Amino acid sequence: MMLRMLVLLGMVVALVGCDAQKADPSQETAKSGTLTVYIDNQIAELLQPSLALFQKEHTQATLRTERLEAGDAVLALLSRDARLAIIARGFLPSEDTLLQDAKVSYPMTHIATDALVVVANKRVPFDTLSDENLRAWLVGDRATVSDDAGGSNIRTAICPPPSTSVFDNTNTLLLRGRLPQRQRLTALPSVDKILDAVRTDQSVLGIAYLSQVHADSTVKLLRIGFTNEKAERIYPQHVHLGYVVQKMYPYRVKIHTILRDKINHFSLPAGVAGYIYQNADAQRTFLDAGIVPEFAKLVLDPSKP
């Protein structure tokens, strides 16, 4: 009898120990622990709702955010300061070289598609641009941005600074690596200042992300015609997620989560990243911001522009 009681007592102690271990707040899981998420400053506001949903649903997790430009987020991964980064582009060639030299690779997931857009003063008389003409004008191969009325009045385009992902995507998607003329492409420190300039001056165009300006009715988004990868001519369409998802808009911007470490079930960074692209409510926050959620099912209404 004594032996049986000792065995039972040992089992109880073991079970209590297991429960205590499960309840240990210092033990990280995919749903608990403390994490700083490094976010591309240009999409920081876009990501806040989905991160807030994760925090509300998983009360044992504490999320903090560090806003910085995309290149700095990649450097934070390389220095091992960051465990999860979210940026609005892939790796640049110079960053690929650093990764190869360091012999590291990071799990990357495409979670949503934004778009690089060109905004104009609402009094500008034209509504469309050609991708080819816009690029030729920016690099100095054309005198005017458009042959339409008012095209000759445009003197400059304004973009966020070279340190930003907006500038990186302008270089990659719009300029395709060509150098712009200095007077044709200038910079202001924020999208708010760019929009202020566009509202007050009909001679400037602004460059930003769709998620940053989709709800702003004080400026207009110019429709862009282009030739796609199949050499098909795509005529200018409304700047809307429905045309972005159909690849009928030329400047599509992929947003990625990037993990420093391999995915596992006891990793809070992996849990947060997985929540953002697997949870329906989290994906819906991208839809609410006017962009394309990568893992949501979209039903397009052909009767609406």
Side-chain angles (χ1 to χ4, degrees):
M1 179 66 70
M2 179 65 70
L3 178 61
R4 184 180 178 187
M5 290 182 65
L6 287 173
V7 170
L8 289 174
L9 181 60
M11 291 176 64
V12 169
V13 170
L15 289 172
V16 170
C18 288
D19 287 341
Q21 186 177 10
K22 289 180 181 178
D24 184 359
S26 65
Q27 183 181 17
E28 179 178 288
T29 71
K31 300 178 180 180
S32 65
T34 300
L35 174 68
T36 298
V37 183
Y38 286 66
I39 306 179
D40 180 342
N41 191 47
Q42 302 302 309
I43 54 169
E45 298 301 325
L46 171 67
L47 268 298
Q48 289 305 319
S50 59
L51 293 174
L53 285 172
F54 180 92
Q55 183 72 87
K56 182 178 180 181
E57 190 170 325
H58 303 105
T59 56
Q60 291 187 347
T62 300
L63 299 184
R64 303 185 180 95
T65 57
E66 180 77 19
R67 297 174 58 153
L68 67 178
E69 301 305 342
D72 292 328
V74 174
L75 291 177
L77 286 166
L78 280 164
S79 67
R80 301 190 66 79
D81 291 331
R83 300 175 66 201
L84 171 62
I86 307 176
I87 65 175
R89 60 168 176 78
F91 293 127
L92 301 178
S94 59
E95 293 165 347
D96 274 328
T97 300
L98 289 174
L99 294 175
Q100 291 169 10
D101 290 344
K103 293 182 172 56
V104 294
S105 62
Y106 298 129
M108 177 185 287
T109 302
H110 176 196
I111 59 171
T113 301
D114 208 326
L116 194 72
V117 297
V118 181
V119 299
N121 188 289
K122 296 191 79 170
R123 294 186 295 276
V124 167
F126 57 88
D127 298 312
T128 65
L129 284 176
S130 155
D131 163 56
E132 297 84 358
N133 288 350
L134 175 58
R135 180 164 46 257
W137 174 76
L138 284 169
V139 301
D141 290 347
R142 274 181 61 94
T144 63
V145 71
S146 170
D147 294 328
D148 292 335
S152 61
N153 295 330
I154 302 297
R155 59 179 177 80
T156 190
I158 308 175
C159 183
S163 59
T164 66
S165 64
V166 176
F167 186 91
D168 292 333
N169 284 307
T170 299
N171 183 54
T172 302
L173 301 173
L174 202 168
L175 294 170
R176 299 186 184 178
R178 296 192 63 185
L179 292 175
Q181 282 195 348
R182 183 174 297 179
Q183 68 272 25
R184 294 278 173 87
L185 185 63
T186 59
L188 283 175
S190 70
V191 170
D192 286 341
K193 291 186 181 298
I194 292 171
L195 293 177
D196 285 342
V198 170
R199 293 185 193 106
T200 57
D201 190 343
Q202 295 183 53
S203 72
V204 303
L205 302 176
I207 299 175
Y209 287 147
L210 178 58
S211 61
Q212 294 172 317
V213 300
H214 83 285
D216 193 326
S217 61
T218 65
V219 296
K220 66 178 176 180
L221 308 184
L222 297 181
R223 293 174 281 162
I224 311 291
F226 69 106
T227 300
N228 68 13
E229 297 88 346
K230 300 178 181 179
E232 299 168 332
R233 189 63 191 171
I234 306 298
Y235 293 97
Q237 307 290 341
H238 289 278
V239 185
H240 183 271
L241 68 88
Y243 291 109
V244 174
V245 75
Q246 295 179 82
K247 298 184 178 180
M248 298 178 72
Y249 184 80
Y251 314 132
R252 300 181 300 277
V253 174
K254 292 183 178 181
I255 298 174
H256 298 96
T257 59
I258 309 174
L259 295 168
R260 186 192 69 190
D261 305 312
K262 292 182 179 180
I263 298 173
N264 69 74
H265 297 300
F266 299 98
S267 164
L268 181 56
V272 173
Y275 181 90
I276 292 173
Y277 67 77
Q278 292 177 335
N279 181 275
D281 290 332
Q283 284 281 291
R284 193 172 294 113
T285 65
F286 299 132
L287 198 64
D288 293 340
I291 68 171
V292 182
E294 184 61 19
F295 293 91
K297 182 179 179 180
L298 300 180
V299 179
L300 303 177
D301 186 348
S303 66
K304 296 182 179 179

